[in-house]
Amino acid sequence: MASHSEHSEKPATSAGAGRLQRIVGRLRCLAGHRRVPPYLFTIVIVALSLALVHSAFRKGGLWDADRANDFRAYHQAARAALGRDLASAYSAPEKPYQYPPTLASIVVPLGLLPARAALVLWVLGSLALLLWSFRVLERVLCPPVRGVDKFLGFLMVFRMIESDFANTNANTLVLGLIIWGFSLERRGRSGFAGVVIALATCIKVFPALLAPWMLYRARWRMTGGFLAGLVVWGALVPGTVLGPADFSRSFASWYRGVVAPMSPAAVEYGDEAPGGYLPGQSLRVLLHRVARPIDATAHDDEEVPLNVMTLSKSAVDMVWVGLAVVLLGGLMVFFRRRSSSPIWGGGEIAVALTLTVLLSPLARKAHFVVLLPAATYAFMLARISTGARRTVSRTLWWAALGVILLTSPSIIGDRWSAIALGLCPLSVAGLMLVAVHVIEGSRPELDESRDEDRPPELRAADGD
């Protein structure tokens, strides 16, 4: 009997072990399947997208009408534009409108809706535009950019994207328009591409820093479309929607409140917020915080100066202008020498977009959503590089990603979180410039254009 039970247990044990082996084998096969990573990436992107929508609805006042953020100003401006009284929105007591008349003119339909319904449409439209930009980014930057590069780039700038959604700002709209513009440029529609980028510039001024690249690259059709677009989107469209009188008053209010104070000759130039705080995360703001005894963060009850010297405000601005010219000119020369092709390279687009926020006088954390192309391209460079350069580049990128993800107030406290988040966008932007410059300059030039996306005249010029 004992022998019989031993023989009867052995097949059962063997069958159980065989089933376990088959399960493990199937899991290994599934993990090695080429389509599993895209599915995993999609799940993470969907989860992060839901988190963005929740943050926008919660902080935008969908459930609490007492909350106010940037969209409240957009909605009030849209309603004022319907009554052709946009000028009054610039002096609204609760949430004054601070952007060019163009933005209010194109969101006028939202003024016909209740505030909460308009907020829902704005947030969902921003999310759709963000996901579309994510999808076509590979076409804009060109091979060998892959999905994993876009995914890691998305994680890199997620804190900036979350800031944009939490404030229900318009920077995702600006990013989408810029990506659309370069996508059109890839397909040979340079004039229309310039018009689209002009619209982004008329919403937020910082994309104007792309104009020097168009001129230096001799992209005359794109430049012409850009100039024509400034007239259409900057004057004709808002002038038609608002009427000539209200458009003139609105433009004057925006100029006096935003542009004029940047000039040292303006009376408002010496005026600053309480505590001397200068908002933003651009190179100009960093120079002011390093060279002047002003508050480094507005999120404390006490001042937190970080200056190592004391200069006048005008002297610091002169240094900023000089550095901006050197950076912009030096990088344009680098890419001009790097390639004689009239087609914009992926690295050049990434660097040009990085400089728009890095050199902008008023760029805040939410503006840095336009770093998505640069983050994506830099991860691609880290992936294709070899040897010690590959190790160093990967270490730098994962360190930067860790810094961004670990600057939560719950981890390091409100004070240090405010300081870290103020410097993170600037630091990441600077790191991207260094990585793209060093790695791009040492690798063989890639064929960064798809033959079917290239305009016929360029294919003919290259002997295709």
Side-chain angles (χ1 to χ4, degrees), residues 54-62 67-69 162 165-168:
H54 178 266
S55 177
F57 285 164
R58 180 173 61 87
K59 297 182 180 180
L62 184 62
R67 285 182 175 269
N69 56 14
E162 193 278 332
F165 271 76
N167 291 285
T168 52

Side-chain angles (χ1 to χ4, degrees), residues 206-227:
F206 67 85
L209 285 171
L210 292 173
W213 295 85
M214 301 179 197
L215 293 171
Y216 188 71
R217 271 294 194 176
R219 307 301 288 157
W220 305 123
R221 291 176 58 191
M222 193 174 188
T223 304
F226 179 78
L227 295 177

Side-chain angles (χ1 to χ4, degrees), residues 26-100:
R26 289 176 181 176
L27 290 176
R28 287 179 177 176
C29 181
L30 183 64
H33 196 278
R34 62 184 180 87
R35 295 194 64 82
V36 170
Y39 289 150
L40 295 178
F41 295 160
T42 300
I43 292 172
V44 175
I45 292 295
V46 169
L48 292 178
S49 299
L50 293 176
L52 291 175
V53 172
H54 178 266
S55 177
F57 285 164
R58 180 173 61 87
K59 297 182 180 180
L62 184 62
W63 300 294
D64 183 2
D66 293 333
R67 285 182 175 269
N69 56 14
D70 289 346
F71 182 74
R72 179 72 61 86
Y74 300 163
H75 189 250
Q76 292 175 349
R79 290 192 164 183
L82 285 171
R84 296 201 168 186
D85 189 23
L86 179 60
S88 63
Y90 287 92
S91 57
E94 182 182 0
K95 197 71 177 176
Y97 180 68
Q98 299 178 331
Y99 303 94

Side-chain angles (χ1 to χ4, degrees), residues 77-86 101-109 232-248 250:
R79 290 192 164 183
L82 285 171
R84 296 201 168 186
D85 189 23
L86 179 60
T102 301
L103 178 59
S105 301
I106 64 175
V107 299
V108 157
V232 172
W233 297 114
L236 295 182
V237 170
T240 302
V241 173
L242 304 174
D246 187 38
F247 169 69
S248 178
S250 302

Side-chain angles (χ1 to χ4, degrees), residues 59 163 167 274 277-281 289 295-304 364-365 409 413-423:
K59 297 182 180 180
S163 176
N167 291 285
Y277 177 71
L278 190 65
Q281 285 83 32
R289 291 174 182 171
D295 193 5
T297 173
H299 299 281
D300 300 300
D301 295 329
E302 59 178 341
E303 292 189 13
V304 185
R364 305 196 185 199
K365 182 177 67 176
D414 291 336
R415 175 178 177 179
W416 289 107
S417 175
I419 295 175
L421 286 178
L423 296 177

